[in-house]
Amino acid sequence: MNQFYKKLSVLIILTCFIYTNAFALTKNESIIPPELQKKLEEVYGKIKSDYVDNIDDKKLMEGAINGLVTNLDPHSSYLDIDAQKDFTAATSGEFSGVGIDTGMEDGLVRVVSPIEDSPAYKAGLKTGDLVFEIDGKNVKGMTLSEAINKIRGPKGTTVKLSVLRKKTAAPLSFSIVRETIKNPSIKFKLSNQDYPYLRITQFQENTGVDLAKNLKLITEQNKGPLKGLVIDLRNNPGGMVSSAVAVAAAFLEKDKLIVYSDGKTNNAKMKLFANPYNYVEGGEKNDYLKDISEEYKKIPIVVLVNNGSASAAEIVAGALQDHKRAIILGTQTFGKGTIQQLFPLKTGSAIKITIAKYYTPSGKSIQAKGILPNYIAEDPSDISDTPVAKTFESSYKNHLENEKESTLQETSAKIVKLSEQNKKIFSDKSSFETGTKADYQYVQAIHLLQGKALDIEK
């Protein structure tokens, strides 16, 4: 196996999806300082002797481990065997449930992003919502794994979620019928033959292969040479970094730097390029991108993003922006610039912990900052008289700081003026469909590709 791919295989997860690797600590790292060990034993003893109910040792210790890991940052967590299966199912793109990517915040289940066209998406759950009750049972005290297991269930059954939403005074209640979630990561439309629309909903293990298939179909179905392309990464929560590298590589010249990372271990320090050895085992002989048209490396591109675009989606947007290969349009992205790795434990459970931060080719850290679009264009369908506060990585109290924040040079952003007429035309959510004339940000992207001037605030 090529050396680049060996390094890539242990850093393959960013937002919610995990590639496992062996868990090993050096002898010195595994020793708990005596004073802290004594404190832990003292608390354990007091609970066993004085707590009103008898607590099972396994439950008590798993709770302690869960607290130890989840207090590190919003993306580190303790996973039992079932939770690991959930992550594996998520990377394959098919599972039974309501369709939300989740995390934990202050003991509640945080909605990272509802999966497009899922029951949760159709019911109206939004990024940043906090689930505090599942079927009337308080989430406080549950592990993320326990909460996910209660939300998921057989197809056709109903789950009731009680939700807190910022800037919404009263809790919200959702009764959602579970379905089999089949979430293909790539979709395309030829709403405009000259400027195809490509939607990437998340970065699964087969996203690169599916991208190649869809680009070939676009070439076959199109009547003439392409004049441009719209890539939609809105509400894409991320996924596998190898797939993100493949997507960026499809539109960049060979060997362009896509992303690099830095952490304590050698495996956490890596650079990934637009090279098949960095996204597929076997490199060039197994390169699924080799047969796509070369026009995709040359035609103008506009990438759509919003605050639901996270992690691997930010890698792609950042790489294409830094290399001036694409114009980014939309709103500031989520700002998850960290890499998680799954470390299996001898008991069969595992911990997922942050091992590195990643950086765009120009050296910008996305952590708690995100990608600033070249053109900031608010979606009128998201604007209301009582706007909901957007949730970002920086919204979480235990997020990791951006160590380069004070020295970062911002991308020059132009703000697209939203006229009252466009507010009326594009604010009707009932007729909204991505990649159509009802999608304001998509329409602005098409205007850019056509060379039309956007109405920019002075």
Side-chain angles (χ1 to χ4, degrees):
M1 188 186 294
N2 183 273
Q3 186 63 25
F4 275 120
Y5 197 81
K6 285 182 179 178
K7 293 179 73 176
L8 175 62
S9 67
V10 298
L11 292 175
I12 221 139
I13 269 301
L14 291 168
T15 302
C16 300
F17 314 121
I18 304 298
Y19 187 96
T20 62
N21 191 32
F23 176 47
L25 290 173
T26 66
K27 184 176 181 181
N28 289 336
E29 288 172 331
S30 64
I31 297 174
I32 300 175
E35 65 276 12
L36 296 181
Q37 184 174 354
K38 184 177 181 181
K39 182 184 287 188
L40 180 62
E41 291 173 351
E42 185 178 1
V43 172
Y44 172 80
K46 186 56 65 177
I47 291 173
K48 295 296 287 185
S49 63
D50 287 40
Y51 186 70
V52 63
D53 290 329
N54 291 324
I55 303 296
D56 178 72
D57 283 345
K58 181 180 177 182
K59 181 179 180 180
L60 191 60
M61 286 299 102
E62 289 200 343
I65 295 169
N66 184 61
L68 182 70
V69 178
T70 55
N71 281 330
L72 295 172
D73 65 75
H75 309 291
S76 295
S77 60
Y78 169 74
L79 305 172
D80 61 19
I81 296 173
D82 289 335
Q84 293 180 68
K85 291 179 181 178
D86 289 337
F87 281 117
T88 302
T91 58
S92 69
E94 182 173 333
F95 55 92
S96 179
V98 301
I100 52 175
D101 292 308
T102 59
M104 291 293 281
E105 181 181 354
D106 294 332
L108 304 180
V109 175
R110 180 185 73 250
V111 178
V112 174
S113 181
I115 295 172
E116 188 171 335
D117 295 330
S118 68
Y121 180 90
K122 294 173 183 176
L125 282 172
K126 295 182 178 295
T127 297
D129 284 349
L130 295 173
V131 179
F132 68 92
E133 283 185 350
I134 304 170
D135 287 331
K137 295 182 179 179
N138 199 313
V139 170
K140 284 279 189 180
M142 293 184 191
T143 64
L144 180 59
S145 172
E146 290 169 338
I148 289 173
N149 286 338
K150 289 186 179 298
I151 293 173
R152 291 188 176 180
K155 176 183 177 182
T157 58
T158 300
V159 61
K160 183 177 179 181
L161 303 180
S162 299
V163 169
L164 299 175
R165 181 175 291 171
K166 290 182 179 179
K167 289 197 175 180
T168 301
L172 304 175
S173 181
F174 298 87
S175 291
I176 306 175
V177 179
R178 300 178 177 100
E179 294 179 8
T180 299
I181 308 300
K182 294 182 179 180
N183 189 32
S185 62
I186 304 281
K187 307 171 185 178
F188 77 88
K189 293 176 183 175
L190 295 176
S191 305
N192 187 312
Q193 288 283 336
D194 291 335
Y195 308 100
Y197 167 84
L198 188 75
R199 174 94 175 102
I200 306 177
T201 58
Q202 63 188 67
F203 291 90
Q204 302 168 358
E205 58 187 346
N206 291 321
T207 295
V209 174
D210 291 341
L211 174 71
K213 291 177 181 177
N214 280 271
L215 292 180
K216 289 175 186 176
L217 285 173
I218 289 173
T219 300
E220 291 170 5
Q221 295 180 21
N222 207 53
K223 296 177 180 178
L226 300 179
K227 295 182 179 180
L229 180 70
V230 178
I231 301 176
D232 191 353
L233 297 178
R234 291 172 297 181
N235 296 316
N236 182 320
M240 301 181 75
V241 69
S242 57
S243 295
V245 171
V247 169
F251 307 106
L252 291 171
E253 293 299 325
K254 188 176 180 182
D255 293 327
K256 289 285 188 180
L257 178 62
I258 292 173
V259 65
Y260 70 93
S261 64
D262 192 23
K264 285 183 180 178
T265 66
N266 288 333
N267 282 335
K269 302 175 191 292
M270 56 188 273
K271 289 186 176 182
L272 297 173
F273 300 86
N275 187 301
Y277 288 102
N278 283 194
Y279 57 79
V280 61
E281 186 173 359
E284 291 182 355
K285 69 177 182 180
N286 294 326
D287 185 13
Y288 40 74
L289 297 178
K290 64 184 177 182
D291 295 327
I292 66 172
S293 172
E294 280 295 310
E295 67 182 335
Y296 291 111
K297 296 186 183 293
K298 301 173 183 177
I299 58 173
I301 297 173
V302 175
V303 176
L304 301 178
V305 298
N306 63 5
N307 77 297
S309 307
S311 200
E314 294 172 292
I315 283 181
V316 173
L320 296 182
Q321 185 184 62
D322 276 8
H323 288 299
K324 294 180 170 50
R325 184 64 191 89
I327 294 172
I328 312 300
L329 184 146
T331 56
Q332 184 177 351
T333 62
F334 185 78
K336 182 185 179 294
T338 57
I339 297 172
Q340 284 69 48
Q341 185 173 338
L342 189 72
F343 294 95
L345 305 175
K346 293 178 181 179
T347 58
S349 54
I351 58 171
K352 174 177 64 111
I353 61 173
T354 299
I355 63 166
K357 293 180 182 179
Y358 65 82
Y359 303 86
T360 70
S362 67
K364 291 183 291 188
S365 171
I366 295 169
Q367 175 58 21
K369 196 168 188 68
I371 298 294
L372 185 66
N374 301 95
Y375 289 86
I376 297 176
E378 292 280 351
D379 181 359
S381 66
D382 283 343
I383 298 174
S384 65
D385 295 332
T386 55
V388 176
K390 292 182 178 179
T391 302
F392 298 93
E393 174 80 5
S394 57
S395 305
Y396 305 135
K397 66 180 184 181
N398 62 334
H399 72 270
L400 298 180
E401 297 293 338
N402 187 319
E403 78 284 3
K404 292 191 174 186
E405 189 164 6
S406 60
T407 59
L408 277 177
Q409 292 184 351
E410 293 286 6
T411 303
S412 178
K414 298 177 181 179
I415 301 175
V416 180
K417 188 183 296 183
L418 182 59
S419 67
E420 290 300 321
Q421 181 181 7
N422 280 337
K423 283 183 183 179
K424 292 179 182 178
I425 294 174
F426 293 99
S427 61
D428 183 8
K429 293 184 179 180
S430 63
S431 62
F432 178 82
E433 182 183 349
T434 60
T436 68
K437 291 181 180 180
D439 182 346
Y440 173 76
Q441 291 167 323
Y442 165 76
V443 171
Q444 300 309 302
I446 294 295
H447 286 169
L448 277 176
L449 291 170
Q450 291 173 334
K452 296 179 180 179
L454 303 187
D455 190 7
I456 304 299
E457 291 186 6
K458 304 301 182 184

